[in-house]
Structure formats: C-alpha cells, structure tokens
Amino acid sequence: MQAEAEEGVRATKYPMPEQDPKERIKNFEEVALGYDEETAVKEAKRCLQCKRPGCVQGCPVGVDIPAFIRAIQERDFDRGIEVIREKNSLPAVCGRVCPHETQCESLCWLSVGCSRYMRPEARRKLEEHLKRHGVVRVKREPVAIGRLERFLADYELRKRAGAVGTLRTTGGQGGGRGKRRGAPSGVEVAELLCERGKEQRVAVVGSGPAGLSCAYELVRLGYDVVIFEALHEAGGVLTYGIPEFRLPKHVVKAEIERLKELGVKIVTNVVVGRTITVEELLRGFGAVFIGTGAGLPRFMGVPGENLNGIYSANEFLTRINLMKAYRFPEYDTPIRVGRRVAVVGGGNVALDCARCALRLGAEESIIVYRRTEREMPARAEEIKRAREEGVRFEFLATPVRYIGENGWVRRMECVRMRLGEPDASGRRRPIPIEGSEFLIDVDTVVVAIGQRPNAPSVRGLAVTKRGTIVVDEEGKTSVRGVFAGGDVTTGAATVISAMSAGKRAALAIHKYLRDQRWLADKA
Amino acid sequence: MYEIVEKRELAPGIKRFDVFAPLVARRARAGQFVILRVNERGERIPLTIVAADAKKGTVTIIFREVGKTTKKLGSLREGDCILDFVGPLGVPASIKKYGCVACVGGGVGVAAVYPRARALKAVGNYVISIIGARSKELLILEREMWEVSDELYVTTDDGSKGRRGLVSDVLRDLLEAAAAGRRRKIDFVTAAGPVAMMKAVAEVTRPYGIKTVVSLNPIMVDGTGMCGSCRVTVGGETKFACVHGPEFDAHLVDFDELLSRNARYLEEERLALELLERAAGNGGA
Ligand SMILES: Cc1cc2nc3c(=O)[nH]c(=O)nc-3n(C[C@H](O)[C@H](O)[C@H](O)COP(=O)(O)OP(=O)(O)OC[C@H]3O[C@@H](n4cnc5c(N)ncnc54)[C@H](O)[C@@H]3O)c2cc1C
Ligand code: SF4
Ligand code: FES
C-alpha cells in the first residue's frame, strides 16, 4: 500500500468487486458489490482536488464533488455524506444508476486530457498539473466519482440500519380503524382539501425521482408535503423498473424512509385524475407538482404483437420488480420466460430485461437493436456486464412480424438495417434493407422500445404532440399553481435529470407561494 | 389498509364485501373497477365496483373463489383489512336513455351487470335483465336485479332454476319476438360474464345491428395503462382494457384472442392453488 501511494496517482480506477458472472445469473442479488473503506480512501486519493473542478459542471444537481472526495480522503465519512445530501436527496440510488461516464466523470480533469471537452490552453495547464501530481500515463481514467458516492451512501445506510427496521414505505388511502403514523388515511386526505392554511401545503403527484426530490427540497423549506402515488409502493421506476440486481429495493426503501422521517407524507393507491383530480388538489394545496413519469408502454404495431409470450418492458419489469414474480410461487404474481428470449431495444430498459430473462432461466437472451453498439443509449458499464453474463446482441435488426403457434409466439421475423444520415437525435438513422428478412426462434419477446409520458388530464394543461407536459425553465405549466418535471416533461430520460427538475420546481414553488405571483414581472 | 366492514356469502364460493375506501367510494361510477392486493405477497387483481356508498365511504365487491388470490381474499373476515385497494379505474359505462335495454349477465358477471342495469334504469330506460348461472345455488343478485328491472329472465345450465340453457338463448328469443313485432324492440344491450358467453351475446345481436357493449376481464397488473398486460384487439386496433375500457363494442372485440390471452398463466394458477390447498391440508390457514 505504501509503495503504491509513492507511485503517485494511479492511472486507472480501483476496481470494484462484482459477483462472478456465472454465479450472478442464477440470482437477483446485486451485481456490483461496492468499495470497502480502504479501497474507497485509495480511490479518493486519486482526486487532484482541482481549484476549478470539471466534475461539478457535469453534475446536474451540482454536488460539491471535490469536497465529498476530500472528506473520504480524510476518512470523515459523515461529513462526506452531508456534502452530498446538501444537493442530492437519493445518493444511494444515484451512486448506482447515474450515467457517471457521461456526466461528472466525463469532465474529470484526471481523464479529460484526452477528451474533446478540453481547450488547448486548458490542456496545457492540465498536463503541467498532472505532471506535478506524477500522473504520466496517457490513458487515464477519471476518479470513480459514482463508486465513491455509492460508498458514502452505503456507509450511511449501514450506520442507520440499526435504527430503522424494514418498514413498509406506505400506508394507502383507505383508513381502517387504527391510524398509521406518516401516511394520512382516505378520510384525512378528504379533510385536507380545505382552503385553510393551504399556502403551507404542497401536493406532489408521483413518487419517482422527480417527485421525491421536489418533496425533499420543499420539506426542507418548511412546507407540508403530501405525495400521491398510483401504485402500492413508492419510488416510481426505481421501484417497479430498475431490477434488484442493479438497484436493491431495500436501498430505495431506506432512501424513501429518510424522506418520511423528514416529514414528507406519502399516500399510495391514489391515481390522480381518477381517485382525486388535480383541480381538487388545488383546492387544498397551495401548489401541485406533477412528476408522473413516462410509464406508458410503446408497442411497434407489427402483426402478431398480441401473441402470448410477448411483453412490454414495463409489464415484464413490473411483474419482476414490483410484484416479485421471480420469487413465484412464494409471491403470487407469475411470470413466464421461455428458453429463448428476444428483447427489442437498446437502452437501459432493454438491457435490464435481457439480464432479468437470464436470471429467470432463459438459455439464450438476445438483444435485437436496430442500430449498433455505438448508438446504444444504455450505461457503458451495464453493456459490459450484460455481455459478461452471456447476453447476445443482434445489431442492425428490427422485428417486422411475429409468428405464433397455439396462441404463443414461436418465431420473430426481422429485417436487416443499415445506418443512414444522422437524425434529430444526432444518431445515424437506421434504414431497412429490402429483402433481408430473417427468422429468429423465440419463446418470449420483450418490447423495450421506449415509454410514453403519463400526464394526468387537467383542464387547460398544455401538452405537446408527444404527450409531454409543457413547462417553462422553472417547471411552471400552463395552469396556475401547477408545476411539472421529470420524464413527464422530457420523455424518458435519467434519474438525475428528473431529480434536478424536481428540485428546480421546488424552488419555483417556494417563490410562487411566497410572492403569490404566477407570471414573472415584466419590469 | 382497507377494512372489510361487511362480509356476506351470496352462494357457495361467491362472496360479497363492503370495503371501507372513502376516496374510491366518493367518485365511483357504474362500470368502473378497483385493483386490490390482499397482502404483501399478493398479486394485483381487478374487481368490478358493484356499488359504492359515498356517505359511508364503502365500496362493494363480489367475487368467486377460483384461484389462490380470491381464496385468500375470501378467507378474510369482517374487520380484517385488505392491504391495497385502488380506484375507481376504467372508463365509466355509457349510461343514457336508449329506450329499451337488455342487461345480460352470466355467473359472477351478474355483479358487473347490476350497477349498469341500475344506472340505466335510473335514467329512464325500460330494463330487461337476463341473468344466468350453472345452477340454482350459484345464481346471485336475483333480488337486486329485480329491483332495477322491468322484466327479469333467469337461466341455469342444469335447469334447476328458470329456463334450462344459456342467457344468450333467451336474448335470441326476445330479439326474434321483437323482430316479428310481438314485443318491444331492444335498442341497446350490455353484457358481462365468461368470454364465451359475451361472444355468444355479440353473435346473437350482430344480425340485428343492435348496439352491444361488453365488459371485458383480461389479466391486469397495474390497471392504470402502464403495462399492456390487459391489451385486447377491438376493431383491429390494440386497446388497453384498463384505461380504454373495460367496456367495448361487442361487435368489434376479438374474443378468441382474449380467451387465449386469459389462458397465459393457467399452469401457474393451478400450481399456486395446489400449494395453497396443500398448505391448508397440512393444518396451515
Ligand atoms: C428499466 C429502466 C431502467 C432505467 N435505468 C436507468 C439508469 O440506469 N440510470 C438512469 O439515470 N435512469 C434510468 N432509467 C430512467 C429513469 O428511471 C427515469 O428517467 C426516472 O425514473 C424518471 O423519474 P420521474 O420521477 O420523472 O418518473 P417515474 O420514476 O416514472 O415516476 C413516476 C411515478 O408517478 C406515478 N404516477 C403516474 N401517474 C400517476 C397518477 N396519475 N397519479 C399518481 N401517481 C402517478 C407512477 O406510478 C410512478 O411511481 C431507467 C428507466 C427504466 C424504466
Ligand atoms: S475533476 Fe476529477 S480530479 Fe478534479 S476535483 Fe473533480 S473528481 Fe477530483
Ligand atoms: S393492466 Fe397494465 S396497462 Fe392495463
């Protein structure tokens, strides 16, 4: 250890231990095991503590990255987590699922020397700086900011584990006889819908990252915050979408428990627009934040898509993650996965489905993507892990028809694609090659080609053609008192961008409730 | 937690609960449903809202104990709680004055037809109800249906009550009689029950071009449009029954696809039930 320290800064990240691929495809336990204390401190010491750090600019919520890394260097983990929590309400989640390689880590000066983000002048300065620190090799990896964030968050979770048991995160809107601490019952919700004191109350619709981070900021500003969630469990995609092996549900629960301890109330089993309307909420709350996400599945509309054995990614993942179908019959919800599984799509969602399929016993799990690996929007680390686990990739192909037998899908007819000119997303557009059809034998297909926004209907609420809610830079919608953010305003994006939108809206809500002014002053 | 404030057994294996869920009761309309989950390990299942009392805050559901979930549900007692209960979901039934309407229900489907019949009656329709069951003991809501109908016909498969045969047979006779000018014309038909029954009703009314709607019962998970488990083909288009339905134009529904999709988990359902019964046999509850 001593010797290593004297070598100066290591060029590559300290590796994080992972479950062996052969073993992990037999279970749903977490793949990445996290740094231990010694490794975390060593990794932290790779940080150059830059005066003008690049990393912070890459963080959508502006976490003071060098400060928390410094705390790790000094083994003051409590201070470290405090620094993160100042800006980020879900560090244990973000440390695991944020695309760090395209955010903070992509701008880390340690690696950026070989990056397109550098101006020549800055590069010269950097080289000098690096030389002083003894970093000489050409290919340098950034500081493992994500892993360090996760380390601190896990440290805190472990520390709190003794104090907090496994609580149910929710109480529902019913009301039984006994009251439950934290979650208001149906009767109490109905009583909340009165004018008195409403300027002190904010309703949040949806408990995904956008809603949770909005609630976190508002509760810290002293508001009474009630989150209304349609499902029986809070967390949004974190709970129903991202699988256990990438984001354990006890981690999500613990983060949500923390919010509840701060005073956020969560009422589950309330579908806003059905159980209660936004208009009604405005009667009892000073403002409403809509963070309902992009949870509506998209199908391709090709023949045979309703055959048995063909799932939307959302159904597949909801059965597995929210309903725990991977533990059937111990849990009641079933899922059926055949020997050969094809997943259509190239994002995080598709990879999650393909990896779940392996864990549910599929002998072959194939990703069918219409572009190539370079265009895949999934996290690089997860592509690598999927490959280690044996997921196969069929690039430049897309299904055009499903062929069934006795109602069940048996084969999938695909067409080859080639890449044309770049489209609006900057990625090269896939074009079908005529006459290139071929067949893949399948028992199960998961369609993971994206989700549509899930906006509740509100009179006067402006939505785009794509179904996203129209907001200004503060998150204000076209309806007075109603704010929105997250996937429902952007279309499917990332956890951290949803959190950042929730936070921005919280500050705007604070301003609105304080000044009672909806439109900005013209002056 | 949603308390069962009243429990009744309507027929062997068919139970009726009044559940305390004031937010659901407040806005429930005929034709809507709830999704419930009995306990922590339970699955989410849809059940029709048979009635709702906004003042008392209760929602009435009726179910037949066919699988593990409904058996577990049925084993709950008054005062016990259901873990999750969300609604009202789905589009309310199309209730307006059509003139003369026929409300056709088979098995527990009668529970889905009852709120429709009641609402149709309330807006001034002449209501003919046709309800059926396998046998006399399994017939439910006969008295309630009487209260909201101008005419009521009963059928059983075994002839133990009313006419022996199917509800669709009675409907056919009524339509033939009307076509022959022997009775009042039927302007609208609403039906709920087993898929085969709904399909038969659709075929009976099709030649007469009578507007017919059915309340579909596909396998659901979330019930809010987020998964597509409930997709059905209607008029060649894919619809999500939980948000676009559950009521659809009977003449456009692909019933064969629905039958096939509803059989997706038969093996798993059998296994779950078997394990439950074995556990009960071993002295567990
Ligand atoms: C499988 C999968 C993997 C992903 N992996 C990653 C990843 O690795 N990294 C990353 O950064 N991002 C990832 N994403 C994207 C990320 O999860 C989303 O961008 C993020 O969760 C959006 O947050 P949100 O709060 O806007 O919405 P959501 O998380 O979708 O939450 C919305 C919530 O609102 C509820 N709701 C909807 N309608 C209503 C209503 N009418 N009334 C009440 N409640 C309602 C929903 O039930 C849900 O709980 C992934 C997404 C999926 C599906
Ligand atoms: S840019 Fe990299 S080296 Fe510099 S402070 Fe941030 S993490 Fe440390
Ligand atoms: S039940 Fe999930 S979309 Fe209808």
Side-chain angles (χ1 to χ4, degrees), chain A residues 171-175 177 232 269 274-275 280 296 305-306 308 310-312 314-315 330 332-333 336, chain B residues 1-3 26-27 41 43-44 68 72 84-85 87 90 225-227 229 231 233 238 260-261 265 268:
Chain A
Q173 37 83 351
R177 277 183 185 138
H232 58 256
N269 295 332
R274 292 262 184 222
T275 313
E280 279 179 292
L296 304 185
E305 212 169 22
N306 289 350
N308 291 347
I310 304 183
Y311 297 88
S312 74
N314 262 12
E315 179 182 355
E330 188 193 339
D332 294 344
T333 306
R336 196 180 274 196
Chain B
M1 302 289 267
Y2 306 83
E3 189 182 330
R26 217 169 47 107
R27 288 175 60 89
R41 296 189 173 180
E43 60 181 339
R44 293 169 65 99
K68 180 178 180 186
K72 278 203 307 198
D84 297 298
F85 194 88
M226 287 172 61
C227 76
S229 169
R231 61 196 194 274
T233 301
T238 294
S260 163
R261 285 186 63 75
Y265 294 109
E268 287 81 0

Side-chain angles (χ1 to χ4, degrees), chain A residues 44 46-56 65-67 69 104-105 107-111 129 142-145:
Chain A
R46 292 181 64 227
C47 171
L48 308 172
Q49 291 292 309
C50 311
K51 270 221 190 65
R52 243 171 289 141
C55 54
V56 178
I65 295 166
I69 295 184
C104 51
E105 292 183 13
L107 298 177
C108 169
W109 290 138
L110 192 55
S111 75
H129 178 67
V143 176
I145 302 170

